[in-house]
C-alpha cells in the first residue's frame, strides 16, 4: 500500500516531536480513501483528522512526514507513556 503521512501540529510548532497526533491516508483497492490516526493503545484507527484540519474544524496545521518520522513518533509516544 502507498501511504501519505501527516503530523498534526499546533500553529507555532514544526517538529514531529511536538505533534498532537499523526495520521495516514491510503486508497483501498475499491478506490475509497481511508484516513487513520496512530494511537499507542490501538495502533492505526479510523479518523477524519485530515479533513477536520483542512476544513478548519480543528486548529493547527498538517505537515507531510515520512515513514521514518512515523517510527520516531511511535518511539516518542512509547517513551511518554512509560514516563507517565
Amino acid at each position: 500500500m502507498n501511504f501519505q503521512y501527516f503530523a498534526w501540529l499546533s500553529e507555532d510548532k514544526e517538529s514531529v516531536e511536538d505533534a498532537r497526533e499523526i495520521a495516514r491516508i491510503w486508497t483501498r483497492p475499491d478506490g475509497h480513501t481511508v484516513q487513520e490516526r496512530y494511537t499507542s493503545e490501538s495502533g492505526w484507527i479510523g479518523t477524519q483528522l485530515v479533513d477536520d484540519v483542512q476544513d478548519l474544524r480543528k486548529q493547527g496545521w498538517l505537515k507531510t512526514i515520512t515513514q521514518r518520522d512515523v517510527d520516531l513518533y511511535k518511539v516518542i509516544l512509547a517513551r511518554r507513556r512509560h514516563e507517565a
Side-chain angles (χ1 to χ4, degrees), residues 4 24-28 30-35 48:
Q4 289 181 284
R24 69 182 182 186
I25 297 176
W26 55 281
T27 303
R28 298 187 321 207
D30 64 7
H32 287 92
T33 301
V34 177
Q35 292 184 41
Q48 291 299 315

Side-chain angles (χ1 to χ4, degrees), residues 4-7 16 61-66 69:
Q4 289 181 284
Y5 296 101
F6 302 91
V16 171
W61 66 287
L62 296 170
K63 176 181 182 174
T64 301
I65 60 174
T66 65
D69 294 323

Side-chain angles (χ1 to χ4, degrees), residues 2-84:
N2 209 5
F3 296 107
Q4 289 181 284
Y5 296 101
F6 302 91
W8 176 35
L9 298 158
S10 298
E11 297 292 339
D12 61 337
K13 303 294 183 187
E14 294 186 18
S15 171
V16 171
E17 294 180 23
D18 296 320
R20 295 177 180 182
E21 292 184 72
I22 59 169
R24 69 182 182 186
I25 297 176
W26 55 281
T27 303
R28 298 187 321 207
D30 64 7
H32 287 92
T33 301
V34 177
Q35 292 184 41
E36 297 174 314
R37 66 182 176 88
Y38 182 80
T39 70
S40 56
E41 299 85 19
S42 303
W44 293 102
I45 61 172
T47 189
Q48 291 299 315
L49 176 64
V50 175
D51 288 343
D52 288 345
V53 174
Q54 290 176 337
D55 294 340
L56 304 176
R57 288 187 296 267
K58 290 190 181 237
Q59 298 288 324
W61 66 287
L62 296 170
K63 176 181 182 174
T64 301
I65 60 174
T66 65
Q67 175 64 54
R68 185 173 180 201
D69 294 323
V70 171
D71 295 339
L72 171 64
Y73 181 79
K74 289 178 180 180
V75 169
I76 291 167
L77 273 187
R79 191 177 306 142
R80 287 179 188 162
R81 190 172 180 191
H82 180 69
E83 292 172 357

